[in-house]
Amino acid sequence: MNPHFDFPRNKDGFPERPDGAPNTAFLGRGANEHHQTIDSTNLRAKELARSGAPEGTLVTAEAQTSGRGRLGRAWHSPPGRNLYFSLVLRPNISPERLPILTLAAGLGVAEALRDITGLGLEIKWPNDILINKMKVVGILSEMEMLGAGVSFVVLGIGINVNLEQGDLPEELAPLAASLLIASGRPWDRVEILAGVLSGVEHNYLEIIQGRPQGVLARYRRACATIGSKVRLADGVQILEGLAVDIDENGALVVELSGDGSLLTVSAGEVTLVKE
Ligand code: BTN
């Protein structure tokens, strides 16, 4: 895999875009890093961000030894098959807007994967991307503040690209899949990465430029959680209800079973209940 997008210059000094390079203005176009093995691309991107790395800096890895997932989980990161990468973002938004930014990025990933592969993808709120109900993409966004504002956001994305069924550990086999497993053919990881960076950048710009309506409308259409019965665990109690909407901050709106009151959920674990 050659994920380096520092393009060669032609005789006039203009960058030449090789096949498979991202069609982006700033994501993945700076001083990127690629590692054969790293603990976690998110940890490395946070280090770079703390030492001043510019917006769009990309850290990729062939394998992670401590790949990190949401809610303190691990992310299965074997070598050579998948994509593991993190982006440094410096959005000029208030911290409360982070959830909608993360939703926009997840939608950008799903839209790019759909356009490249033609596969039917769904999003499980907030950011799991599923094919045939099996998880193929996970996103972990981490924010650091400077005073009352956002210093940086690291957006970490793991995509199961060419993982084979036999590569999945027993506990993930009933839950996870890959583009290869879903389509029956392998995919070029650099092409997937380039397309995904374009998709993420497109939606990111809509949010930071104050135009979230299109992203929200497309997210609601792609979101398998809306209209589903869900179970919520907030660490204290378990509640059930019907997911009815995503609000303008990216939170899930649930009509609770029993009294029918509306609950707005902005974090935590949401399970789709099979009926
Ligand atoms: C989830 O739990 O669904 C989020 C998984 C995020 C995994 C990616 S892989 C690249 C980046 N580095 C990490 O350690 N985690 C994210």
Side-chain angles (χ1 to χ4, degrees):
M1 173 162 95
N2 172 17
H4 288 281
F5 301 130
D6 36 4
F7 305 145
R9 308 260 154 183
N10 67 16
K11 65 180 175 32
D12 302 315
F14 290 108
E16 285 182 332
R17 192 187 295 276
D19 287 350
N23 184 22
T24 54
F26 56 92
L27 291 190
R29 303 298 295 275
N32 301 327
E33 276 190 6
H34 179 61
H35 298 263
Q36 281 307 310
T37 304
I38 196 167
D39 48 3
S40 153
T41 57
N42 262 37
L43 289 177
R44 179 62 187 147
K46 284 198 279 185
E47 274 174 15
L48 291 171
R50 285 185 199 118
S51 51
E55 168 143 282
T57 300
L58 170 70
V59 180
T60 50
E62 285 290 340
Q64 299 183 115
T65 52
S66 306
R68 300 163 66 233
R70 288 179 65 239
L71 309 171
R73 297 188 182 124
W75 185 254
H76 182 57
S77 311
R81 300 233 181 252
N82 295 330
L83 283 167
Y84 316 111
F85 61 99
S86 301
L87 290 157
V88 175
L89 303 175
R90 297 190 181 278
N92 186 12
I93 57 168
S94 68
E96 303 82 68
R97 306 283 297 151
L98 179 66
I100 182 79
L101 195 73
T102 312
L103 260 50
L107 178 68
V109 177
E111 290 174 334
L113 293 179
R114 182 199 57 205
D115 291 350
I116 296 168
T117 66
L119 291 164
L121 298 114
E122 290 182 311
I123 302 177
K124 174 176 170 272
W125 181 89
N127 259 320
D128 290 351
I129 300 180
L130 315 178
I131 303 179
N132 300 328
K133 315 280 178 229
M134 304 291 241
K135 182 158 164 174
V136 170
V137 179
I139 301 184
L140 176 66
S141 63
E142 301 185 88
M143 174 176 67
E144 279 193 18
M145 309 270 295
L146 187 64
V150 175
S151 169
F152 64 81
V153 173
V154 162
L155 188 72
I157 303 178
I159 307 179
N160 292 344
V161 180
N162 294 324
L163 199 73
E164 308 219 26
Q165 192 66 43
D167 301 329
L168 282 165
E170 208 178 316
E171 68 278 12
L172 290 182
L175 306 171
S178 69
L179 300 179
L180 179 147
I181 293 169
S183 64
R185 55 153 282 193
W187 295 90
D188 180 321
R189 284 180 297 155
V190 175
E191 186 191 338
I192 301 276
L193 175 59
V196 163
L197 292 180
S198 301
V200 171
E201 184 177 281
H202 181 271
N203 287 356
Y204 176 66
L205 286 172
E206 290 195 14
I207 299 300
I208 60 171
Q209 291 169 356
R211 295 180 280 115
Q213 296 80 5
V215 163
L216 265 172
R218 299 201 308 281
Y219 184 93
R220 288 181 177 119
R221 280 200 296 276
C223 181
T225 312
I226 297 177
S228 299
K229 200 167 171 206
V230 292
R231 186 170 300 131
L232 316 165
D234 66 2
V236 181
Q237 51 180 342
I238 294 178
L239 298 167
E240 282 196 357
L242 182 70
V244 288
D245 198 11
I246 306 292
D247 76 9
E248 68 280 6
N249 292 320
L252 185 68
V253 184
V254 177
E255 188 182 288
L256 290 178
S257 309
D259 68 359
S261 61
L262 292 180
L263 182 72
T264 302
V265 185
S266 26
E269 180 66 339
V270 170
T271 316
L272 300 181
V273 180
K274 292 195 188 84
E275 288 180 297

PDB file of all heavy atoms in Angstrom, residues 152-170:
ATOM      1  N   PHE A 152      -8.319  20.543  18.763  1.00  0.00           N
ATOM      2  CA  PHE A 152      -8.300  19.659  17.590  1.00  0.00           C
ATOM      3  C   PHE A 152      -9.242  18.491  17.825  1.00  0.00           C
ATOM      4  O   PHE A 152      -9.625  18.190  18.961  1.00  0.00           O
ATOM      5  CB  PHE A 152      -6.892  19.155  17.262  1.00  0.00           C
ATOM      6  CG  PHE A 152      -6.274  18.287  18.330  1.00  0.00           C
ATOM      7  CD1 PHE A 152      -6.581  16.933  18.442  1.00  0.00           C
ATOM      8  CD2 PHE A 152      -5.382  18.829  19.246  1.00  0.00           C
ATOM      9  CE1 PHE A 152      -6.022  16.135  19.429  1.00  0.00           C
ATOM     10  CE2 PHE A 152      -4.813  18.041  20.244  1.00  0.00           C
ATOM     11  CZ  PHE A 152      -5.145  16.690  20.335  1.00  0.00           C
ATOM     12  N   VAL A 153      -9.594  17.858  16.725  1.00  0.00           N
ATOM     13  CA  VAL A 153     -10.341  16.605  16.764  1.00  0.00           C
ATOM     14  C   VAL A 153      -9.509  15.592  15.989  1.00  0.00           C
ATOM     15  O   VAL A 153      -8.987  15.905  14.912  1.00  0.00           O
ATOM     16  CB  VAL A 153     -11.721  16.755  16.066  1.00  0.00           C
ATOM     17  CG1 VAL A 153     -12.426  15.410  15.966  1.00  0.00           C
ATOM     18  CG2 VAL A 153     -12.589  17.762  16.803  1.00  0.00           C
ATOM     19  N   VAL A 154      -9.348  14.401  16.549  1.00  0.00           N
ATOM     20  CA  VAL A 154      -8.744  13.308  15.775  1.00  0.00           C
ATOM     21  C   VAL A 154      -9.869  12.357  15.389  1.00  0.00           C
ATOM     22  O   VAL A 154     -10.631  11.884  16.240  1.00  0.00           O
ATOM     23  CB  VAL A 154      -7.640  12.595  16.578  1.00  0.00           C
ATOM     24  CG1 VAL A 154      -7.328  11.232  15.990  1.00  0.00           C
ATOM     25  CG2 VAL A 154      -6.379  13.450  16.578  1.00  0.00           C
ATOM     26  N   LEU A 155      -9.989  12.147  14.092  1.00  0.00           N
ATOM     27  CA  LEU A 155     -11.032  11.273  13.566  1.00  0.00           C
ATOM     28  C   LEU A 155     -10.353   9.972  13.132  1.00  0.00           C
ATOM     29  O   LEU A 155      -9.561   9.979  12.186  1.00  0.00           O
ATOM     30  CB  LEU A 155     -11.670  11.969  12.366  1.00  0.00           C
ATOM     31  CG  LEU A 155     -12.898  11.333  11.766  1.00  0.00           C
ATOM     32  CD1 LEU A 155     -14.089  11.515  12.704  1.00  0.00           C
ATOM     33  CD2 LEU A 155     -13.198  11.987  10.419  1.00  0.00           C
ATOM     34  N   GLY A 156     -10.623   8.889  13.857  1.00  0.00           N
ATOM     35  CA  GLY A 156      -9.984   7.606  13.556  1.00  0.00           C
ATOM     36  C   GLY A 156     -10.975   6.681  12.877  1.00  0.00           C
ATOM     37  O   GLY A 156     -12.098   6.496  13.357  1.00  0.00           O
ATOM     38  N   ILE A 157     -10.559   6.103  11.754  1.00  0.00           N
ATOM     39  CA  ILE A 157     -11.479   5.294  10.952  1.00  0.00           C
ATOM     40  C   ILE A 157     -10.841   3.930  10.683  1.00  0.00           C
ATOM     41  O   ILE A 157      -9.691   3.842  10.235  1.00  0.00           O
ATOM     42  CB  ILE A 157     -11.802   6.012   9.619  1.00  0.00           C
ATOM     43  CG1 ILE A 157     -12.396   7.405   9.909  1.00  0.00           C
ATOM     44  CG2 ILE A 157     -12.746   5.172   8.755  1.00  0.00           C
ATOM     45  CD1 ILE A 157     -12.709   8.243   8.690  1.00  0.00           C
ATOM     46  N   GLY A 158     -11.573   2.885  10.977  1.00  0.00           N
ATOM     47  CA  GLY A 158     -11.133   1.522  10.653  1.00  0.00           C
ATOM     48  C   GLY A 158     -12.113   0.922   9.658  1.00  0.00           C
ATOM     49  O   GLY A 158     -13.325   0.925   9.909  1.00  0.00           O
ATOM     50  N   ILE A 159     -11.605   0.442   8.524  1.00  0.00           N
ATOM     51  CA  ILE A 159     -12.474  -0.152   7.498  1.00  0.00           C
ATOM     52  C   ILE A 159     -11.990  -1.577   7.224  1.00  0.00           C
ATOM     53  O   ILE A 159     -10.827  -1.783   6.855  1.00  0.00           O
ATOM     54  CB  ILE A 159     -12.437   0.655   6.173  1.00  0.00           C
ATOM     55  CG1 ILE A 159     -12.745   2.140   6.433  1.00  0.00           C
ATOM     56  CG2 ILE A 159     -13.418   0.063   5.153  1.00  0.00           C
ATOM     57  CD1 ILE A 159     -12.706   3.029   5.184  1.00  0.00           C
ATOM     58  N   ASN A 160     -12.878  -2.528   7.422  1.00  0.00           N
ATOM     59  CA  ASN A 160     -12.545  -3.907   7.069  1.00  0.00           C
ATOM     60  C   ASN A 160     -12.682  -4.034   5.559  1.00  0.00           C
ATOM     61  O   ASN A 160     -13.786  -4.061   5.022  1.00  0.00           O
ATOM     62  CB  ASN A 160     -13.501  -4.883   7.761  1.00  0.00           C
ATOM     63  CG  ASN A 160     -13.305  -4.920   9.267  1.00  0.00           C
ATOM     64  OD1 ASN A 160     -12.276  -4.460   9.787  1.00  0.00           O
ATOM     65  ND2 ASN A 160     -14.280  -5.453   9.980  1.00  0.00           N
ATOM     66  N   VAL A 161     -11.544  -4.100   4.878  1.00  0.00           N
ATOM     67  CA  VAL A 161     -11.567  -4.089   3.405  1.00  0.00           C
ATOM     68  C   VAL A 161     -11.462  -5.521   2.870  1.00  0.00           C
ATOM     69  O   VAL A 161     -12.413  -6.054   2.304  1.00  0.00           O
ATOM     70  CB  VAL A 161     -10.433  -3.210   2.843  1.00  0.00           C
ATOM     71  CG1 VAL A 161     -10.475  -3.224   1.309  1.00  0.00           C
ATOM     72  CG2 VAL A 161     -10.538  -1.781   3.356  1.00  0.00           C
ATOM     73  N   ASN A 162     -10.297  -6.137   3.037  1.00  0.00           N
ATOM     74  CA  ASN A 162     -10.072  -7.459   2.451  1.00  0.00           C
ATOM     75  C   ASN A 162      -9.950  -8.561   3.495  1.00  0.00           C
ATOM     76  O   ASN A 162      -9.341  -9.613   3.241  1.00  0.00           O
ATOM     77  CB  ASN A 162      -8.820  -7.420   1.562  1.00  0.00           C
ATOM     78  CG  ASN A 162      -9.047  -6.515   0.354  1.00  0.00           C
ATOM     79  OD1 ASN A 162     -10.151  -6.467  -0.187  1.00  0.00           O
ATOM     80  ND2 ASN A 162      -8.020  -5.791  -0.046  1.00  0.00           N
ATOM     81  N   LEU A 163     -10.512  -8.311   4.651  1.00  0.00           N
ATOM     82  CA  LEU A 163     -10.522  -9.313   5.726  1.00  0.00           C
ATOM     83  C   LEU A 163     -11.344 -10.527   5.274  1.00  0.00           C
ATOM     84  O   LEU A 163     -12.431 -10.350   4.721  1.00  0.00           O
ATOM     85  CB  LEU A 163     -11.187  -8.668   6.935  1.00  0.00           C
ATOM     86  CG  LEU A 163     -10.956  -9.294   8.289  1.00  0.00           C
ATOM     87  CD1 LEU A 163      -9.529  -9.013   8.753  1.00  0.00           C
ATOM     88  CD2 LEU A 163     -11.923  -8.698   9.316  1.00  0.00           C
ATOM     89  N   GLU A 164     -10.810 -11.722   5.489  1.00  0.00           N
ATOM     90  CA  GLU A 164     -11.564 -12.927   5.112  1.00  0.00           C
ATOM     91  C   GLU A 164     -12.292 -13.458   6.346  1.00  0.00           C
ATOM     92  O   GLU A 164     -11.879 -13.211   7.472  1.00  0.00           O
ATOM     93  CB  GLU A 164     -10.608 -13.984   4.569  1.00  0.00           C
ATOM     94  CG  GLU A 164      -9.737 -13.406   3.466  1.00  0.00           C
ATOM     95  CD  GLU A 164      -9.511 -14.363   2.325  1.00  0.00           C
ATOM     96  OE1 GLU A 164     -10.357 -15.255   2.107  1.00  0.00           O
ATOM     97  OE2 GLU A 164      -8.480 -14.200   1.643  1.00  0.00           O
ATOM     98  N   GLN A 165     -13.343 -14.218   6.093  1.00  0.00           N
ATOM     99  CA  GLN A 165     -14.146 -14.741   7.205  1.00  0.00           C
ATOM    100  C   GLN A 165     -13.262 -15.422   8.249  1.00  0.00           C
ATOM    101  O   GLN A 165     -13.419 -15.225   9.451  1.00  0.00           O
ATOM    102  CB  GLN A 165     -15.193 -15.719   6.652  1.00  0.00           C
ATOM    103  CG  GLN A 165     -16.271 -16.116   7.637  1.00  0.00           C
ATOM    104  CD  GLN A 165     -17.182 -14.957   8.035  1.00  0.00           C
ATOM    105  OE1 GLN A 165     -17.592 -14.169   7.190  1.00  0.00           O
ATOM    106  NE2 GLN A 165     -17.474 -14.857   9.330  1.00  0.00           N
ATOM    107  N   GLY A 166     -12.263 -16.204   7.771  1.00  0.00           N
ATOM    108  CA  GLY A 166     -11.402 -16.956   8.677  1.00  0.00           C
ATOM    109  C   GLY A 166     -10.468 -16.079   9.494  1.00  0.00           C
ATOM    110  O   GLY A 166      -9.847 -16.547  10.447  1.00  0.00           O
ATOM    111  N   ASP A 167     -10.317 -14.788   9.105  1.00  0.00           N
ATOM    112  CA  ASP A 167      -9.455 -13.873   9.866  1.00  0.00           C
ATOM    113  C   ASP A 167     -10.153 -13.318  11.101  1.00  0.00           C
ATOM    114  O   ASP A 167      -9.518 -12.694  11.954  1.00  0.00           O
ATOM    115  CB  ASP A 167      -9.054 -12.638   9.027  1.00  0.00           C
ATOM    116  CG  ASP A 167      -8.309 -12.994   7.761  1.00  0.00           C
ATOM    117  OD1 ASP A 167      -7.598 -14.008   7.779  1.00  0.00           O
ATOM    118  OD2 ASP A 167      -8.446 -12.265   6.773  1.00  0.00           O
ATOM    119  N   LEU A 168     -11.474 -13.485  11.151  1.00  0.00           N
ATOM    120  CA  LEU A 168     -12.225 -12.872  12.258  1.00  0.00           C
ATOM    121  C   LEU A 168     -12.131 -13.733  13.506  1.00  0.00           C
ATOM    122  O   LEU A 168     -12.381 -14.939  13.451  1.00  0.00           O
ATOM    123  CB  LEU A 168     -13.704 -12.737  11.876  1.00  0.00           C
ATOM    124  CG  LEU A 168     -14.065 -11.576  10.948  1.00  0.00           C
ATOM    125  CD1 LEU A 168     -15.460 -11.771  10.359  1.00  0.00           C
ATOM    126  CD2 LEU A 168     -13.990 -10.250  11.697  1.00  0.00           C
ATOM    127  N   PRO A 169     -11.786 -13.133  14.645  1.00  0.00           N
ATOM    128  CA  PRO A 169     -11.816 -13.906  15.879  1.00  0.00           C
ATOM    129  C   PRO A 169     -13.249 -14.366  16.165  1.00  0.00           C
ATOM    130  O   PRO A 169     -14.216 -13.728  15.726  1.00  0.00           O
ATOM    131  CB  PRO A 169     -11.327 -12.934  16.946  1.00  0.00           C
ATOM    132  CG  PRO A 169     -11.247 -11.602  16.318  1.00  0.00           C
ATOM    133  CD  PRO A 169     -11.379 -11.740  14.842  1.00  0.00           C
ATOM    134  N   GLU A 170     -13.343 -15.467  16.909  1.00  0.00           N
ATOM    135  CA  GLU A 170     -14.649 -16.106  17.149  1.00  0.00           C
ATOM    136  C   GLU A 170     -15.718 -15.115  17.636  1.00  0.00           C
ATOM    137  O   GLU A 170     -16.862 -15.137  17.171  1.00  0.00           O
ATOM    138  CB  GLU A 170     -14.426 -17.174  18.229  1.00  0.00           C
ATOM    139  CG  GLU A 170     -15.371 -18.340  18.168  1.00  0.00           C
ATOM    140  CD  GLU A 170     -15.015 -19.341  19.259  1.00  0.00           C
ATOM    141  OE1 GLU A 170     -13.814 -19.643  19.460  1.00  0.00           O
ATOM    142  OE2 GLU A 170     -15.938 -19.791  19.930  1.00  0.00           O
TER     143      GLU A 170
END
